[in-house]
Structures are given as C-alpha cells and as structure tokens.
Amino acid sequence: QVQLVESGGGLVQTGGSLRLSCATSGRPFSSSPLGWFRQAPEKEREFVATINGFGSTMYADSVKGRFTISIDNTKNTVYLQMNSLKPEDTAVYYCAAKSYGAISSDRSHYNYWGQGTQVTVSS
C-alpha cells in the first residue's frame, strides 16, 4: 500500500521560507515521479513541481526561481524548498505519486495522494 505523509507546513511572513517534506512508502518503482500540488480556498488543485528518481524536474511558471523540488532516494522522501513566499502561495500543499512513467503536471496522472499540509503566507 502506497502511503505519502507530508510535513513542514505552517505560517510564514511574505518573503520567508518553508521546506515541505513528503515521506513515501510502498511505491512499486522508486524512480517513478513524485509531485507537489496545491489548492487554495475555492480554487482548483494546481500543479507546483515534480521530480523523478533520476532528478528530472518540472515547475509551474508561478514558482520557478523560488521553489526547488528535490528527492532523497535513500529516505524515499521528496522535499519542496519554498523561498520568497508570497500571500498567493497560501494553500494546502499535497504530495502525489505516479505509479510509473514520465514526470507530468497533470494531476489526473497521479495515482496516490497525501493528506495535505497547510501553508499560510501573511502579508
């Protein structure tokens, strides 16, 4: 059974930083893509970043240059380093896993989801 457990959310001021972690277990292929998505109140869940076990990455335009996704294959954990945070980054952030295949920004391609962690950026 695939499990994804996020941590690291919280309240931060504009311009601040947070690092989210997602501990994974049970994935059949350790190199398959992991991604971060976020959902603000009354908005659709949107893509943030994704990475596979070989280090290939993709970012949403809105976070390029500010967020960095990374993976520790020895710990089966994916991270999202978020710098220069803005109020519009406020959302519940979800970790997601694909069973196999290439990295993707399409949330329908992800089979497994964590419970989410709240990130709030105050102005």
Side-chain angles (χ1 to χ4, degrees), residues 1-5 22-35 50-54 70-79 95-101 103 110-113:
Q1 182 179 358
V2 177
Q3 290 189 320
L4 307 173
V5 180
C22 174
T24 76
S25 62
R27 291 192 299 143
F29 300 106
S30 60
S31 61
S32 58
L34 292 165
T50 183
I51 189 168
N52 64 16
F54 307 108
S70 61
I71 191 167
D72 185 335
N73 290 315
T74 63
K75 297 181 179 179
N76 294 317
T77 299
V78 62
Y79 304 96
C95 178
K98 287 185 72 184
S99 294
Y100 55 86
I103 54 175
Y110 289 79
N111 309 95
Y112 307 99
W113 294 84

Side-chain angles (χ1 to χ4, degrees), residues 19-73:
R19 189 176 82 153
L20 305 183
S21 300
C22 174
T24 76
S25 62
R27 291 192 299 143
F29 300 106
S30 60
S31 61
S32 58
L34 292 165
W36 288 98
F37 291 76
R38 65 186 182 187
Q39 187 167 16
E42 300 182 358
K43 290 191 175 181
E44 295 282 323
R45 190 170 298 188
E46 65 175 8
F47 167 74
V48 176
T50 183
I51 189 168
N52 64 16
F54 307 108
S56 296
T57 60
M58 183 190 305
Y59 294 91
D61 288 343
S62 59
V63 306
K64 278 182 184 175
R66 300 189 299 123
F67 291 11
T68 302
I69 190 170
S70 61
I71 191 167
D72 185 335
N73 290 315

Side-chain angles (χ1 to χ4, degrees), residues 6 16-17 25 38 41 47 61 73 80 84 92 101 109 113 123:
E6 302 102 330
S17 298
S25 62
R38 65 186 182 187
F47 167 74
D61 288 343
N73 290 315
L80 186 67
S84 302
V92 177
H109 292 173
W113 294 84
S123 57

